[in-house]
Amino acid sequence: MDREDDSAQQPPREPSADAEPECDAPCYGDAESAGTLSEDTVVEVSGMAASVRTPGLYYVVSDEPGTPEVVAVREDGTPVARLELDGMDPENAEALAVGPCGDDPAVSCLYVGDIGDHVGRDHVVVYRAPEPDLADAPDEPDAPDAPDAPDARTLDADALEYTYEDGPTDAEALLVDGDGRPLVVSKASFDRDTGETGSTRLYRGPADGGEFEAVAGIELPEPENGLLAALAGNVVTDASADLAAARVLLRTYDEVLEYRAPGPGTDVATFPSWPVRRVPAGNVLQAETVTYAVDDCGYLTTSELTGVVAVVRCTG
């Protein structure tokens, strides 16, 4: 794939001391409304990931079948660029991640997880493209030199096909490890008659496609306020990893859970065994996304129904 201007791309930044609070709780403040993703920007946002190459921007994607693009937005939901991934024709794009590229871990790539499965698909696809440089976007959307419409670009992309070792699996959460290997957290089945949620599993696949191997089960704690879990199950709808800090966020309809490694450099695929705690989830209706911020200490989460963007910042 064409890697024009790769020299300008940078690996994920090491967090500064100011961005890594030593406290156990509370490390985060309350969730605050940052803005809204309009339907003109993205319809029913299903995935969100922070840009590493252009800190302060976020990628969002819709789960509409056949959507060819990812949109780069500011924290408040203002669109900056529409990024069409060459050849992308997903059936159910449910997740985004930014992480090291498979063949060059020093370069950051955008990953789109076409991993939703309600019909028993024989394979799923993860699209991978080197992150674009969006630093030339206007500083303010209303600036005199701001374009009337978001910048439009086409990115060369690899379509990485995967099957699961134990058969078709529905999923809405995608991570990438330090070697550019995708990790998928399954969306557990839910029996409305009994109110029982099935098992949640973590899979890892080769960097360039192949078979997703189950590497761990994930025991989700029962939500403190399980209103939506009672209706749709205690299921994972998104995930985000901070590889440098060895932390992982899991989003469910009711809660946000943070897993913290016992030490730096721990393989992210072992996160189900790390200590876990609840962190602020915000009042987000049908929450479908979560992502760590890159330019600050905190994270964002959004509503699939309303497009509301909530931000949670560190307290110290």
Side-chain angles (χ1 to χ4, degrees):
M1 108 178 81
D2 183 9
R3 292 226 161 87
E4 183 179 356
D5 194 28
D6 273 355
S7 61
Q9 302 194 42
Q10 299 294 326
R13 301 185 310 167
E14 292 292 331
S16 67
D18 290 341
E20 288 297 310
E22 295 296 329
C23 58
D24 289 326
C27 286
Y28 299 109
D30 293 334
E32 302 174 357
S33 176
T36 302
L37 295 163
S38 71
E39 289 192 358
D40 292 337
T41 300
V42 60
V43 178
E44 294 188 356
V45 59
S46 61
M48 188 178 203
S51 172
V52 166
R53 191 172 183 189
T54 315
L57 295 186
Y58 298 84
Y59 303 108
V60 293
V61 70
S62 170
D63 60 6
E64 285 186 304
T67 182
E69 68 178 16
V70 171
V71 184
V73 301
R74 295 183 177 83
E75 182 182 285
D76 64 2
T78 304
V80 170
R82 294 189 177 276
L83 308 171
E84 182 173 335
L85 274 65
D86 188 30
M88 188 171 88
D89 184 21
E91 293 185 35
N92 192 193
E94 286 285 357
L96 292 177
V98 173
C101 296
D103 56 352
D104 189 352
V107 177
S108 59
C109 270
L110 170 64
Y111 292 80
V112 182
D114 179 17
I115 55 176
D117 184 9
H118 306 293
V119 297
R121 298 165 60 180
D122 59 4
H123 71 277
V124 295
V125 181
V126 175
Y127 296 92
R128 180 183 65 199
E131 270 205 272
D133 181 4
L134 300 174
D136 57 353
D139 291 335
E140 298 292 340
D142 296 327
D145 59 346
D148 294 332
D151 192 7
R153 307 188 187 187
T154 299
L155 307 180
D156 291 334
D158 295 322
L160 313 174
E161 293 191 0
Y162 292 91
T163 58
Y164 291 90
E165 65 172 2
D166 48 5
T169 299
D170 190 19
E172 297 186 356
L174 176 69
L175 305 170
V176 179
D177 72 9
D179 294 319
R181 294 175 293 182
L183 292 153
V184 169
V185 178
S186 71
K187 185 177 183 181
S189 61
F190 177 65
D191 189 322
R192 292 181 181 274
D193 293 332
T194 64
E196 294 292 324
T197 301
S199 60
T200 301
R201 299 177 301 280
L202 177 66
Y203 296 86
R204 177 156 60 185
D208 292 317
E211 185 174 76
F212 278 127
E213 175 186 359
V215 294
I218 302 175
E219 295 292 334
L220 299 175
E222 288 296 319
E224 290 184 328
N225 181 3
L227 176 61
L228 290 177
L231 298 174
N234 188 24
V235 298
V236 176
T237 61
D238 201 15
S240 181
D242 182 337
L243 297 181
R247 298 183 300 183
V248 169
L249 291 172
L250 293 187
R251 172 85 248 192
T252 71
Y253 287 126
D254 293 298
E255 297 186 323
V256 177
L257 304 171
E258 184 172 59
Y259 295 76
R260 293 193 170 191
T266 307
D267 181 3
V268 69
T270 65
F271 85 81
S273 66
W274 301 351
V276 59
R277 64 181 191 139
R278 294 179 175 89
V279 293
N283 186 19
V284 181
L285 185 62
Q286 193 165 321
E288 288 279 342
T289 77
V290 70
T291 182
Y292 280 115
V294 171
D295 60 332
D296 197 2
C297 180
Y299 56 91
L300 274 65
T301 183
T302 65
S303 165
E304 181 183 39
L305 290 182
T306 66
V308 168
V309 181
V311 59
V312 176
R313 305 190 194 282
C314 294
T315 57

